Amino acid sequence: MKIMIETQCPIFVTAYNDGDLAADLKAVEADYGSDIDWLLRPGENIFKSEKKEVNLLDLTDRSKVNWHLYGIRGKRYELAFNEDDEA
């Protein structure tokens, strides 16, 4: 994850339920909170799959694999440029 954030390329992540989303956000913010910019705040993915997946270990647990979506990237720092400076 650290290397992906260092590239400053957009990273889009999906989560299958509220608990999965909460765990993801807690981990990302704890480990990389000061190093990321939010491109897309967590929310419902309007293009989510309509197929319900069943957890074979708990048949009462059903979810849609990409229910939530959020986007981040490595923080970009603005560089001040003085026109009087020579390049």
Side-chain angles (χ1 to χ4, degrees):
M1 184 76 166
K2 180 181 177 185
I3 293 171
M4 290 189 332
I5 289 173
E6 287 175 357
T7 68
Q8 297 181 342
C9 292
I11 303 167
F12 292 94
V13 183
T14 62
Y16 63 89
N17 65 22
D18 293 332
D20 183 43
L21 178 66
D24 284 356
L25 295 177
K26 182 178 178 183
V28 167
E29 289 177 345
D31 295 341
Y32 306 104
S34 62
D35 297 328
I36 62 170
D37 287 330
W38 287 97
L39 300 177
L40 180 63
R41 292 285 175 185
E44 185 176 335
N45 180 4
I46 61 172
F47 300 106
K48 65 187 172 286
S49 171
E50 292 301 319
K51 179 182 176 190
K52 289 188 179 180
E53 299 289 333
V54 177
N55 180 352
L56 296 178
L57 299 175
D58 179 4
L59 298 178
T60 63
D61 181 17
R62 297 185 184 112
S63 60
K64 295 181 180 177
V65 294
N66 57 356
W67 186 264
H68 298 287
L69 175 68
Y70 64 94
I72 59 174
R73 74 166 174 220
K75 190 171 284 292
R76 292 192 174 182
Y77 299 96
E78 298 296 326
L79 300 175
F81 179 73
N82 187 348
E83 293 180 12
D84 296 333
D85 292 342
E86 292 183 25

